[in-house]
Amino acid sequence: KFAPFLCKKLKRKWYSMKDSKRIDDTIINEFRLLLLQGETDILCSKIMALEHEKNINAIYNKIILKSILSVTDLYENKKIYLPDLLIASKTYEDIKKYFCSTYETVIPTHGKIVMGTVKNDLHDIGKNIVCMLLRIYELEVIDLGVDVETSEFVYALKDEKANILGMSAMLTNTMHQMKNVVETLRRDKHIFDCLIMVGGAPMTEGYAKAIGADFYSPNAVSTAKWARKKAIESSFIDLV
């Protein structure tokens, strides 16, 4: 005799969850547009309005974070251009600072990654884009800049206790520096198991495999997604 009542109750709950998701999707779409338009003040006021309906974690994880990640998906699928991504990223960083200061909270990172352009190479545009995306994907980035010596990479990985290294090379005559770094790391018993990702205009997947790198992609967003996935996996293993 309780079956009809239970079915009605479950049905109401299902519709409630469905409505809640629909509302969240609408808010995410609105936030995404405002991020792309650089509307920091409007976003701050909307966050304040949401605090009466959702808890702080839900506001960040289910609304703010999902909104900026949806922007990166648009960029990955070539629906928006780099200037759009730069505006959205800057706005997101401003929103994050506002959020942390207003609600006295710290947004945790999933891991730490060392980034740099190899020795004798002064190009940094591609590296900087990847660094920006890594931060969006909640990774702490140690950016060593350009013209980085092998010893600098090694020292940073040990000093920062990072488990992922990202290297960039934009010239065919600086690509071999990546091989030197990989070989040095693999010989060091303290960081031999560090994950290594490489990128740059002259790079190919074949060359990345040949030098012993763990990951290569010509796509900056897929690189950030891979790094986040590996960082989370590594953190889980450490906790276990």
Side-chain angles (χ1 to χ4, degrees):
K1 63 181 179 180
F2 293 107
F5 170 76
L6 184 60
C7 287
K8 287 180 180 179
K9 189 174 181 181
L10 289 172
K11 193 172 183 180
R12 282 198 300 270
K13 186 176 181 181
W14 183 82
Y15 276 118
S16 177
M17 290 171 63
K18 193 173 181 181
D19 289 343
S20 177
K21 184 181 183 304
R22 189 181 296 117
I23 291 168
D24 283 355
D25 288 344
T26 300
I27 297 171
I28 289 168
N29 289 337
E30 185 179 11
F31 268 54
R32 179 175 61 230
L33 180 60
L34 291 169
L35 283 168
L36 287 166
Q37 293 173 340
E39 297 287 0
T40 305
D41 293 339
I42 296 176
L43 282 164
C44 289
S45 64
K46 288 189 176 294
I47 289 170
M48 288 181 66
L50 283 173
E51 69 182 52
H52 302 296
E53 304 170 26
K54 300 177 180 291
N55 63 50
I56 294 172
N57 289 333
I59 292 173
Y60 179 76
N61 291 313
K62 293 187 177 182
I63 302 299
I64 300 173
L65 182 59
K66 283 189 175 183
S67 298
I68 189 62
L69 292 182
S70 70
V71 170
T72 68
D73 288 339
L74 290 177
Y75 179 70
E76 183 178 23
N77 294 312
K78 297 180 171 54
K79 299 289 180 63
I80 60 172
Y81 300 100
L82 181 57
D84 303 310
L85 179 65
L86 293 173
I87 291 170
S89 175
K90 174 64 168 61
T91 308
Y92 166 69
E93 289 298 327
D94 292 340
I95 291 300
K96 197 159 67 168
K97 288 175 185 174
Y98 162 81
F99 186 84
C100 290
S101 62
T102 301
Y103 301 106
E104 298 180 346
T105 186
V106 175
I107 295 169
T109 56
H110 294 296
K112 195 179 288 188
I113 180 168
V114 172
M115 292 287 294
T117 303
V118 297
K119 183 181 177 181
N120 298 327
D121 198 322
L122 301 178
H123 297 83
D124 66 354
I125 294 176
K127 172 187 66 65
N128 290 344
I129 293 171
V130 173
C131 286
M132 174 182 68
L133 288 163
L134 289 168
R135 292 186 180 104
I136 288 174
Y137 277 84
E138 300 181 302
L139 289 162
E140 183 180 349
V141 179
I142 311 301
D143 186 0
L144 303 181
V146 300
D147 191 20
V148 181
E149 297 272 357
T150 298
S151 58
E152 293 179 77
F153 282 123
V154 173
Y155 177 79
L157 285 165
K158 290 180 177 178
D159 187 55
E160 298 291 345
K161 294 180 174 58
N163 52 8
I164 302 178
L165 169 65
M167 290 186 288
S168 173
M170 293 297 289
L171 303 171
T172 53
N173 61 351
T174 60
M175 286 169 59
H176 69 279
Q177 296 291 347
M178 290 181 171
K179 186 173 184 291
N180 296 338
V181 176
V182 174
E183 289 176 348
T184 301
L185 295 181
R186 298 311 186 211
R187 288 195 300 265
D188 193 310
K189 65 179 181 179
H190 299 292
I191 49 177
F192 72 93
D193 59 348
C194 165
L195 293 173
I196 301 170
M197 60 185 198
V198 295
M203 289 295 299
T204 64
E205 188 170 355
Y207 184 76
K209 288 181 179 178
I211 64 174
D214 298 290
F215 182 80
Y216 158 78
S217 173
N219 184 298
V221 177
S222 63
T223 300
K225 287 179 178 178
W226 180 85
R228 183 177 191 267
K229 178 175 180 289
K230 293 299 178 181
I232 291 174
E233 288 174 359
S234 176
S235 298
F236 177 75
I237 291 170
D238 291 342
L239 286 171
V240 173

